[in-house]
Amino acid sequence: MATRRPTAAAKARPKAAAKKTASPTRAAKAAKKPLVTLAVDIGGTGVKTMLLDESGSPVSERLRDETPKPAEPVPIIDIIVAQAAKHGSFDRVSVGFPGVVHDGVVATAPNLDNSWAGVDLAATLSERLGKPARVLNDADVQGFGAIAGKGVELVVTLGTGLGSALFVDGRLVPNLELAHHAFRDGKTYEECVGAKALSKLGKKRWNKQVRKAIEQLDHAINYHALFIGGGNAKKLEGDLPARTSVVSNACGLLGGIALWRN
Ligand code: BGC
């Protein structure tokens, strides 16, 4: 069978021009639309959400509701769904959860409620919101919003609990749980520097404890940089130890964009 040779005119036609004349399909149009991420930060005192554009910049206001007591799955998920409805349209969901999370399934929630264990939060939110959802530990998410992506970087969050996250050249070592390990005087890190310790000890003594904890973590992990976030980071006083910086608590939402990076 004879094959048809392209005409000289067809050969000369630049490919891009040929593309231009073809009418774009709906799918192609949709693919060009920038994706919006609903970032969710579940905390011991507040549940927060915000929309992010593809670069991770906020494109909505931040909504916040008090964390219900008891902090069980159903009322917290209801709050997220209600806030999502107020935000309007989005394409995917990123969640920072205050406990250990494996493949979207909650393993622990020390400052919320034991009934979280075994909840498939990613699947539940995906079903309730009709969009794909990804869930990581809250300090891991906060870390993505804070790190520079070079060397060994440790992130510690000072809030209701003590969050910790470790990154090597920007790659996360997921679910680093320093909070419940022994620190001093038979107490854990979280017992010594968490929110309860702050209100019990007062700012000055709490600051001393935080510094001692940092010193110990530096000796153990030998990080290149330490980032301190969380709602109580603003209560730190005086000069910070070497290689340490305080980051905005907004990183807990902004870091959510990283959950959709390859
Ligand atoms: C939990 C961590 C969490 C941290 C901050 C700790 O009690 O064990 O998983 O990151 O609190 O919310």
Side-chain angles (χ1 to χ4, degrees):
M1 217 214 294
T3 49
R4 228 202 239 170
R5 291 233 181 112
T7 62
K11 269 187 189 170
R13 196 188 303 141
K15 278 188 181 150
K19 256 190 202 163
K20 245 188 192 173
T21 53
S23 100
T25 62
R26 232 183 228 192
K29 263 189 182 171
K32 275 187 195 153
K33 192 180 143 257
L35 297 174
V36 175
T37 304
L38 174 72
V40 182
D41 183 8
I42 303 175
T45 56
V47 178
K48 294 145 263 172
T49 59
M50 189 160 76
L51 298 184
L52 307 176
D53 68 12
E54 275 189 30
S55 71
S57 301
V59 286
S60 78
E61 59 173 328
R62 187 191 78 138
L63 296 179
R64 182 186 187 279
D65 283 289
E66 291 291 307
T67 303
K69 302 272 180 278
E72 289 169 351
V74 172
I76 290 188
I77 290 165
D78 285 347
I79 286 174
I80 296 169
V81 172
Q83 289 187 9
K86 285 186 196 156
H87 280 304
S89 82
F90 53 87
D91 305 286
R92 55 195 185 181
V93 186
S94 294
V95 185
F97 182 86
V100 174
V101 181
H102 297 294
D103 297 325
V105 180
V106 173
T108 67
N111 294 303
L112 295 179
D113 193 84
N114 288 339
S115 57
W116 277 97
V119 170
D120 191 336
L121 185 55
T124 310
L125 278 178
S126 179
E127 204 187 307
R128 293 280 309 267
L129 298 169
K131 303 289 174 195
R134 292 185 178 171
V135 185
L136 279 189
N137 170 269
D138 56 355
D140 290 351
V141 174
Q142 174 125 188
F144 274 122
I147 58 163
K150 271 194 185 160
V152 176
E153 295 176 284
L154 180 68
V155 180
V156 164
T157 63
L158 301 169
T160 309
L162 171 94
S164 49
L166 188 62
F167 295 83
V168 182
D169 289 333
R171 291 199 64 189
L172 173 70
V173 180
N175 293 310
L176 173 74
E177 282 281 299
L178 295 173
H180 313 291
H181 285 269
F183 170 41
R184 62 200 304 253
D185 303 331
K187 288 188 185 151
T188 64
Y189 281 96
E190 184 161 298
E191 284 166 341
C192 292
V193 301
K196 279 187 191 151
L198 172 60
S199 53
K200 193 173 154 209
L201 299 172
K203 239 202 224 175
K204 206 169 167 199
R205 285 178 62 207
W206 176 83
N207 259 272
K208 271 192 182 164
Q209 295 268 62
V210 173
R211 271 169 180 75
K212 280 185 185 144
I214 293 175
E215 207 176 297
Q216 186 150 318
L217 293 176
D218 194 6
H219 289 314
I221 295 176
N222 293 293
Y223 48 75
H224 293 107
L226 168 68
F227 299 94
I228 307 184
N232 288 334
K234 55 181 176 289
K235 308 260 168 63
L236 288 172
E237 287 171 337
D239 291 341
L240 292 170
R243 291 162 284 121
T244 303
S245 39
V246 168
V247 295
S248 156
N249 201 29
C251 293
L253 286 164
L254 300 178
I257 199 67
L259 277 60
W260 293 96
R261 268 187 223 136
N262 285 331

